[in-house]
Amino acid sequence: MIGAVTTDLALVAVGAAIPARILTNEEISQRVETDDAWIRERTGIGERRIATAEESVTTLAIQAARQAVERGDIAPGSIDLVVAATASPERSFPSIAALVADDIGAHSAGAVDMLAACAGFAYALSYAVGQIAAGFAETVLVIGTETLSRITDWDDRGTCILFGDGAGAVIIKAGAAPDQELVVVELGADGSKGDDLRGDLTDRDGSGVDRNIRMNGSAVYRFATQVIVDSATRVLEAGQRTHSDIDLFVPHQANLRIIESGVKRLGFPPERVLITLDQYGNTSSASIPLCLDHAWRTGRLQPGQRLLMMGLGGGLAWGTCLIRWMGRGA
Ligand code: UT7
């Protein structure tokens, strides 16, 4: 599906939780047959963060949410809805979102978690856009949070080099932009390719529960290189924009080669593309807000900028959003 709505909603704040523990490529190469040069050349990843035993998808989400609320000077009681996306849930309920809402004092908010793997943040954001555009909500907290290290097979060199932990959160508000313009969302999924990237929660075929991420890397790679171009093109068209109207492109942070080929075909100059996978690896649903947080801290995120953001992966699903940033500078 693809939709465009004329609205004055915008992103107004971002926060992050970045675990302190750094896992380098060298450390991984002590466990599986790989090396730093291969990982950098084939993926662009230099290191990733790993949650400690005390950290969880919930504690990271709370940390990121607290920071977004503080940076945006948001009254927690004014938050109408909390949406948390994750590909590495610890439990079915209570939701991460409900625990975050309680912690930050968003006592009149609805709260729900979303499972759409690496597209989760884009799906959560699109839900927030829809609720605001329909007039059901004015202020929404959207979170992407992951402890992928806990569902990684550390003996599988095809996947263990890729993933990292972390969380990011944004606040999206009605009436934040000075004028109305098109906000665009595309959501897609191709379940026929679902087994190319999966993580089970239960014993689905009677052979024991394998919660670890299982991926057909080259199949997902082909899907990603195509979708990044096709989805971005459709969203720009629906928003009546070209690549030169986009101030910052935030592609899914899975593999630098996928990003570079997509960016080249779409025509974005490299200085308008956000990249953090060299530092954080693939953090699935946390990728987009972690990029925004990095851009905010380094002064690249400025009020009025148009952002084109994309997440893609397990499902195989994808989500792309064209939306404005109206938050304060760092
Ligand atoms: O967030 C969800 C979206 N995820 C993605 O978009 C991930 C998409 N896939 C990828 O990024 C890439 O497919 C990988 C990085 C996972 C793999 O890179 P590749 O260039 O597609 O490698 P490959 O799977 O085609 O394997 C090439 C060779 C193989 O050896 P042989 O059979 O040619 O002898 C692999 O065994 O590279 C080998 N290989 C490795 N070698 C050193 C695979 N992983 C490693 C490794 N270190 N870590």
Side-chain angles (χ1 to χ4, degrees):
M1 58 158 262
I2 185 162
V5 61
T6 303
T7 169
D8 56 6
L9 64 75
L11 303 180
V12 296
V14 64
I18 302 162
R21 160 86 167 101
I22 295 173
L23 179 66
T24 63
N25 291 343
E26 281 81 6
E27 284 175 85
I28 293 180
S29 67
Q30 285 160 21
R31 175 150 179 172
V32 291
E33 201 182 331
T34 189
D35 56 72
D36 179 57
W38 193 97
I39 300 171
R40 283 182 192 273
E41 189 188 317
R42 306 299 286 180
T43 71
I45 298 168
E47 59 189 37
R48 69 287 293 142
R49 301 300 177 109
I50 302 293
T52 61
E54 289 72 40
E55 289 171 319
S56 70
V57 278
T58 304
T59 67
L60 294 174
I62 287 171
Q63 200 183 326
R66 283 182 186 168
Q67 195 172 61
V69 164
E70 189 191 313
R71 285 179 182 168
D73 198 16
I74 304 292
S78 71
I79 296 173
D80 300 305
L81 184 61
V82 180
V83 194
T86 188
S88 46
E90 291 168 314
R91 52 190 167 194
S92 306
F93 47 85
S95 66
I96 297 166
L99 299 174
V100 171
D102 177 56
D103 179 89
I104 64 172
H107 297 304
S108 48
V112 65
D113 289 356
M114 280 204 177
L115 287 178
C118 297
F121 184 81
Y123 269 74
L125 195 61
S126 91
Y127 179 50
V129 167
Q131 295 295 310
I132 293 174
F136 296 153
E138 285 189 3
T139 304
V140 183
L141 170 63
V142 180
I143 302 163
T145 182
E146 302 291 358
T147 52
L148 297 167
S149 62
R150 294 188 186 147
I151 55 167
T152 294
D153 178 350
W154 291 100
D155 293 317
D156 174 10
R157 69 176 183 171
T159 54
C160 74
I161 58 168
L162 299 173
F163 300 106
D165 300 339
V170 298
I171 309 255
I172 173 169
K173 261 179 91 73
D179 51 7
Q180 307 253 334
E181 71 170 47
L182 285 172
V183 166
V184 187
V185 169
E186 180 181 78
L187 303 176
D190 179 1
S192 73
K193 299 195 179 85
D195 270 354
D196 284 336
L197 182 50
R198 55 168 243 256
D200 293 349
L201 287 171
T202 57
D203 186 1
R204 65 178 189 151
D205 57 8
S207 58
V209 184
D210 178 9
R211 286 202 67 199
N212 287 332
I213 299 165
R214 300 295 168 198
M215 180 170 74
N216 177 346
S218 50
V220 179
Y221 190 97
R222 282 195 300 279
F223 157 79
T225 44
Q226 197 58 47
V227 160
I228 189 173
V229 176
D230 292 351
S231 182
T233 303
R234 285 190 293 262
V235 168
L236 287 174
E237 273 172 22
Q240 299 163 18
R241 301 281 171 198
T242 69
H243 64 80
S244 53
D245 297 318
I246 301 303
D247 297 291
L248 292 172
F249 178 43
V250 192
H252 181 53
Q253 308 286 304
N255 187 313
L256 192 58
R257 290 185 294 144
I258 297 172
I259 295 173
E260 284 176 346
S261 95
V263 159
K264 198 170 156 199
R265 285 164 66 197
L266 288 162
F268 288 113
E271 63 273 15
R272 281 203 238 134
V273 181
L274 297 186
I275 310 273
T276 55
L277 93 164
D278 51 331
Q279 304 167 56
Y280 304 143
N282 180 349
T283 56
S284 191
S285 70
S287 284
I288 292 173
L290 282 176
C291 278
L292 295 179
D293 169 71
H294 189 264
W296 186 83
R297 284 187 282 111
T298 53
R300 292 179 74 186
L301 210 46
Q302 295 298 326
Q305 285 178 330
R306 285 191 197 96
L307 313 177
L308 183 67
M309 307 185 286
M310 184 184 296
L312 55 92
L316 299 179
W318 68 94
T320 307
C321 301
L322 169 60
I323 195 165
R324 271 184 292 181
W325 169 264
M326 291 303 305
R328 291 194 300 230

